[in-house]
Amino acid sequence: MESDGIKRRTWVQLLTFSGLIPFVGLAMLLIAGFGFAVDLFQIYGLAITCFLLGSWWGIGLSGRRPSEVPLAELLASNGLLLVALASYCFVTAPLAVAFQGVLFAVILALEYRLDRLRRAPRYSLRLRSQVTAVTCSIHVVVAAWIEG
């Protein structure tokens, strides 16, 4: 997949790092005093959580016979998303943001641990590790700022 001389790996890196822009922008808005940014920050985090966990379904179901469906991974995907949604709905914003940051680290750890999920190219896993570290750091800052 080349477009104007840009290779797939470059596109993956560009798109992955661009996913940080809303987190950074919303954190900056929050620090600047725009309280509405807290909800948007959490909603964007839920959207990214849905994206990451939803990809487990595509990976798990691709090219598999029905008897080989990775049921544990699919159920874990749904369970983690429900926990993320519950934290958004039922706990205070600082705790929910902190939990969301931890959840991103848990998702990455599971992707390294589960064989089907760690079959991604090495550069992709390395990139995910870098972006997850930044994302978790931003969540710590935002949670601390909200707690104020």
Side-chain angles (χ1 to χ4, degrees):
M1 171 178 133
E2 278 199 37
S3 175
D4 298 326
I6 298 177
K7 296 181 180 177
R8 176 173 59 171
R9 183 174 176 164
T10 303
W11 278 113
V12 169
Q13 291 171 331
L14 179 66
L15 292 171
T16 302
F17 277 111
S18 69
L20 291 171
I21 294 170
F23 282 131
V24 172
L26 290 166
M28 291 170 62
L29 284 173
L30 177 64
I31 290 169
F34 294 92
F36 70 88
V38 174
D39 282 332
L40 293 178
F41 186 90
Q42 291 179 83
I43 290 167
Y44 181 68
L46 283 172
I48 294 299
T49 302
C50 288
F51 173 78
L52 293 172
L53 293 173
S55 72
W56 291 14
W57 280 74
I59 293 166
L61 297 177
S62 63
R64 304 213 172 275
R65 294 188 304 255
S67 63
E68 296 177 343
V69 172
L71 190 57
E73 292 166 24
L74 302 183
L75 291 174
S77 167
N78 286 3
L80 288 170
L81 183 58
L82 290 174
V83 169
L85 183 60
S87 75
Y88 173 72
C89 293
F90 300 115
V91 301
T92 63
L95 187 57
V97 168
F99 179 78
Q100 196 172 63
V102 169
L103 185 59
F104 286 128
V106 167
I107 291 169
L108 180 65
L110 288 172
E111 288 176 356
Y112 269 94
R113 181 167 172 79
L114 300 171
D115 183 53
R116 277 182 229 30
L117 300 175
R118 73 169 175 254
R119 291 182 188 165
R122 276 204 157 336
Y123 77 88
S124 177
L125 291 172
R126 197 169 37 253
L127 181 62
R128 279 269 293 116
S129 296
Q130 294 166 350
V131 170
T132 299
V134 173
T135 301
C136 292
S137 299
I138 295 169
H139 277 72
V140 167
V141 170
V142 168
W145 186 266
I146 298 168
E147 188 63 30

